[in-house]
Amino acid sequence: MHPLDAATKLEVTGDKFQGATSDAYWNFTGPFGGATAATLLQAAMRHPKRQNLPLAMTINYCAPVAKGAFDVLVSEKRTNRSTQHFSVEMTQGDDTIATATLVFAARPEGFAHAPEKIPEVAFPEKIEPPKAKAPLAWIDRFDMRFASGFPVMRPKDDAPLGSARTEVWMRDNPSRKMDFLSLMNMSDAFFARPFHVLGRLIQVGTVSMTTYFHCDEADLAEVGEDYLLGVADANIFNKGYADQIASLWTRGGKLLATSQQILYFRDKAFVPGAKK
Amino acid sequence: MHPLDAATKLEVTGDKFQGATSDAYWNFTGPFGGATAATLLQAAMRHPKRQNLPLAMTINYCAPVAKGAFDVLVSEKRTNRSTQHFSVEMTQGDDTIATATLVFAARPEGFAHAPEKIPEVAFPEKIEPPKAKAPLAWIDRFDMRFASGFPVMRPKDDAPLGSARTEVWMRDNPSRKMDFLSLMNMSDAFFARPFHVLGRLIQVGTVSMTTYFHCDEADLAEVGEDYLLGVADANIFNKGYADQIASLWTRGGKLLATSQQILYFRDKAFVPGAKK
């Protein structure tokens, strides 16, 4: 079984799903947030009343997921002719670990227009994998080829800040056919923007992430096991929180998903005039 | 009482809030989505356990709000040392009309960096209000000065598509001191991107919207009753849905909020090879 399928595996008991964290996606203090998001998406997709395709998902990371078992409860909130709304909650014991809202929708053919274009970058076959890698399991779950914006450590505080923008080809490792779970997982697979800008490993964590899907199953089948180009950037780092905007593109330039997230960061070394 | 305060007015009974739609913010088939979002934010802010400031809000519009009374239920999901999570549900009778998730957070001073800058545009005093205006009440609730991207009607289908980008100074009408409710309301106050691109009034509706707040109460007090510059754009229009990315800036160039939404559109005239 592919590690992503193992990480998002769910058993059903009554109206609840049960799963367990996966060491293969371990991050600093819990499983990688993308895998958690894919798990909650998987739960909603397996709801017996679900119809149509994922359109929008917001996940709020309320607390670190502890190693071990968790429950997922999916509630159908509203089903219209072409859209459907679910609320999802992930718990461990009595504690809420994550909440999510999901919208599923029918995707009729119609007017198509893409003002935003894929950036022109080298193809993944022309790019070596990074030589250095943090020893975190989840990073090994992606084959990443940085076309630009690989994070560079800043040896001194007065060195210029790094760029917040990254262009990186990504696919699952081992490779896996693209589907909505993989796309959701990948929408969180960018290194935290504060690492890139500050050039040091500091305490960070995603608080909330929203992903919009601009594709259907035929678009995903077309990707197969190929790389997607991920583009990530940030607007602002302010008062302990930073945003991230991201997009995921096929090699042919089709925009499959856009995502934004807000994350906290704590870098005490950088607080001007801070009280110790 | 200011129309926004009237529209977001809530009475408390037990653990529920009661409100009523406001004609002053009426849109095509229900109240303007920004006012609904501000109302749900207001409910969460008034929850007795709420601490700290709004950081992130996602609202899902499940169904049109019918004219009249509605209930809002706020559930505290998790309270950590510096972040807090709520889920909110708006109902009319037994029907779920909207769901929302909210994150509140303490905003410590620290590293600040803004890679994205305010665009250089003319100040609002140099810009006339639009000469033409759709007869919708909510539009009258904003004083809008378009620095660029006022929607232009396209008389013929083969005319070039309009730009998806708009730069517009906005303030409440009548003017009102800036607060989180006004900011939430304003993050939805852009005309739907499909109007701008297609140059015609078609059926549209926001399905889900997420706003991140990058400010605290001192930043808002600094705005007072001044205009904010709103910048909106879109990445993609595809299979019945379009996205919108937006940002709200003070005159001095401070980024107060970023927002994204996904909306449906139906423009049968533009379906290539559509069945009638």
Side-chain angles (χ1 to χ4, degrees):
Chain A
M1 188 183 281
H2 189 279
L4 183 59
D5 295 303
T8 58
K9 191 164 175 273
L10 293 168
E11 306 289 338
V12 194
T13 315
D15 62 347
K16 272 195 179 162
F17 295 90
Q18 278 87 40
T21 60
S22 172
D23 290 348
Y25 282 92
W26 208 253
N27 198 351
F28 291 105
T29 58
F32 165 61
T36 303
T39 304
L40 301 200
L41 174 59
Q42 157 88 319
M45 290 185 76
R46 283 182 53 194
H47 190 282
K49 297 283 185 63
R50 190 263 299 180
Q51 56 192 35
N52 297 315
L53 301 177
L55 175 73
M57 175 170 177
T58 292
I59 178 168
N60 304 288
Y61 298 96
C62 303
V65 187
K67 204 182 182 79
F70 55 78
D71 293 319
V72 181
L73 184 68
V74 181
S75 311
E76 184 188 6
K77 289 294 175 183
R78 180 96 187 191
T79 297
N80 301 311
R81 196 164 45 89
S82 68
T83 58
Q84 190 179 33
H85 294 261
F86 290 96
S87 290
V88 178
E89 198 165 329
M90 178 183 184
T91 55
Q92 290 187 308
D94 292 336
D95 294 333
T96 300
I97 305 301
T99 63
T101 58
L102 285 110
V103 187
F104 291 85
R107 301 300 300 257
E109 290 300 327
F111 175 69
H113 177 51
E116 184 71 10
K117 306 296 178 200
I118 189 172
E120 281 183 33
V121 299
F123 281 125
E125 291 75 12
K126 303 283 183 192
I127 304 171
E128 293 290 314
K131 288 186 180 58
K133 197 160 59 178
L136 296 168
W138 77 267
I139 299 177
D140 294 324
R141 296 285 69 75
F142 295 97
D143 172 0
M144 297 188 185
R145 308 295 172 109
F146 284 83
S148 79
F150 184 73
V152 176
M153 293 298 107
R154 287 166 63 245
K156 291 178 179 173
D157 278 6
D158 59 357
L161 293 174
S163 167
R165 183 177 166 93
T166 292
E167 296 162 324
V168 55
W169 294 100
M170 292 189 282
R171 60 178 176 182
D172 286 314
N173 178 28
S175 67
R176 178 179 178 278
K177 284 212 175 93
M178 180 53 60
D179 62 6
F180 285 104
L181 299 187
S182 179
L183 202 54
M184 189 69 216
N185 184 45
M186 209 173 269
S187 74
D188 192 35
F190 300 92
F191 300 142
R193 298 299 96 194
F195 296 163
H196 289 252
V197 168
L198 288 166
R200 64 174 66 172
L201 290 176
I202 56 169
Q203 195 187 340
V204 298
T206 302
V207 177
S208 186
M209 173 171 69
T210 295
T211 297
Y212 297 152
F213 298 101
H214 306 296
C215 53
D216 61 18
E217 278 153 339
D219 298 319
L220 299 175
E222 217 177 277
V223 175
E225 301 187 2
D226 196 9
Y227 292 88
L228 295 187
L229 180 68
V231 181
D233 209 335
N235 292 297
I236 192 164
F237 304 73
N238 192 38
K239 295 186 172 125
Y241 292 85
D243 73 337
Q244 178 186 283
I245 47 172
S247 47
L248 292 166
W249 304 82
T250 68
R251 188 188 289 254
K254 201 180 273 187
L255 181 58
L256 296 185
T258 49
S259 187
Q260 70 173 5
Q261 59 173 261
I262 192 145
L263 55 156
Y264 80 89
F265 65 90
R266 296 294 179 267
D267 182 31
K268 287 182 175 126
F270 270 83
V271 179
K275 291 173 195 144
K276 301 287 175 190
Chain B
M1 185 183 281
H2 190 279
L4 183 60
D5 295 302
T8 58
K9 192 165 175 274
L10 293 167
E11 305 290 338
V12 194
T13 315
D15 62 348
K16 272 196 181 164
F17 295 90
Q18 278 87 39
T21 59
S22 173
D23 289 347
Y25 282 92
W26 208 252
N27 198 351
F28 291 103
T29 57
F32 166 61
T36 303
T39 304
L40 302 199
L41 174 60
Q42 157 88 321
M45 290 185 77
R46 284 183 54 194
H47 189 280
K49 298 283 186 59
R50 191 266 297 181
Q51 56 193 33
N52 299 312
L53 301 177
L55 175 73
M57 176 170 178
T58 293
I59 178 168
N60 303 289
Y61 298 97
C62 303
V65 187
K67 204 182 183 79
F70 55 79
D71 293 320
V72 181
L73 183 68
V74 181
S75 311
E76 184 189 5
K77 290 294 174 182
R78 179 97 188 191
T79 297
N80 301 311
R81 197 164 45 90
S82 68
T83 57
Q84 191 178 32
H85 293 261
F86 290 97
S87 290
V88 178
E89 197 165 331
M90 178 182 185
T91 54
Q92 289 186 311
D94 292 336
D95 294 333
T96 299
I97 305 300
T99 63
T101 60
L102 285 111
V103 187
F104 291 86
R107 302 299 301 255
E109 290 299 327
F111 175 68
H113 177 52
E116 184 71 11
K117 306 295 178 203
I118 189 172
E120 282 184 34
V121 298
F123 281 126
E125 292 75 13
K126 303 282 182 193
I127 303 171
E128 293 290 317
K131 286 183 181 62
K133 199 160 56 176
L136 296 167
W138 78 267
I139 299 178
D140 294 324
R141 296 285 68 74
F142 295 96
D143 172 0
M144 297 188 185
R145 308 294 172 111
F146 284 82
S148 78
F150 183 74
V152 177
M153 293 299 105
R154 288 167 62 245
K156 290 180 180 171
D157 279 7
D158 59 357
L161 293 173
S163 167
R165 183 176 166 94
T166 292
E167 297 162 323
V168 56
W169 293 100
M170 292 189 283
R171 61 178 177 182
D172 286 314
N173 179 28
S175 67
R176 178 179 178 280
K177 285 213 175 94
M178 180 55 58
D179 63 6
F180 285 104
L181 299 188
S182 180
L183 202 52
M184 190 70 215
N185 185 44
M186 209 173 270
S187 73
D188 192 35
F190 301 91
F191 300 142
R193 298 300 96 193
F195 295 162
H196 290 253
V197 168
L198 289 168
R200 63 174 67 171
L201 291 176
I202 55 169
Q203 194 188 339
V204 298
T206 302
V207 176
S208 186
M209 174 170 69
T210 295
T211 297
Y212 297 152
F213 299 101
H214 307 295
C215 54
D216 62 18
E217 277 153 339
D219 298 319
L220 298 175
E222 218 176 276
V223 175
E225 301 187 0
D226 196 8
Y227 292 88
L228 295 186
L229 181 68
V231 181
D233 208 335
N235 292 299
I236 192 164
F237 304 74
N238 191 37
K239 295 186 173 126
Y241 291 85
D243 73 338
Q244 178 186 283
I245 48 173
S247 48
L248 291 166
W249 304 81
T250 68
R251 188 188 291 254
K254 200 180 272 186
L255 180 59
L256 296 184
T258 48
S259 186
Q260 69 172 5
Q261 60 174 259
I262 192 145
L263 54 156
Y264 79 88
F265 65 89
R266 296 292 179 268
D267 182 31
K268 292 191 171 116
F270 270 82
V271 180
K275 290 173 197 145
K276 300 288 175 189

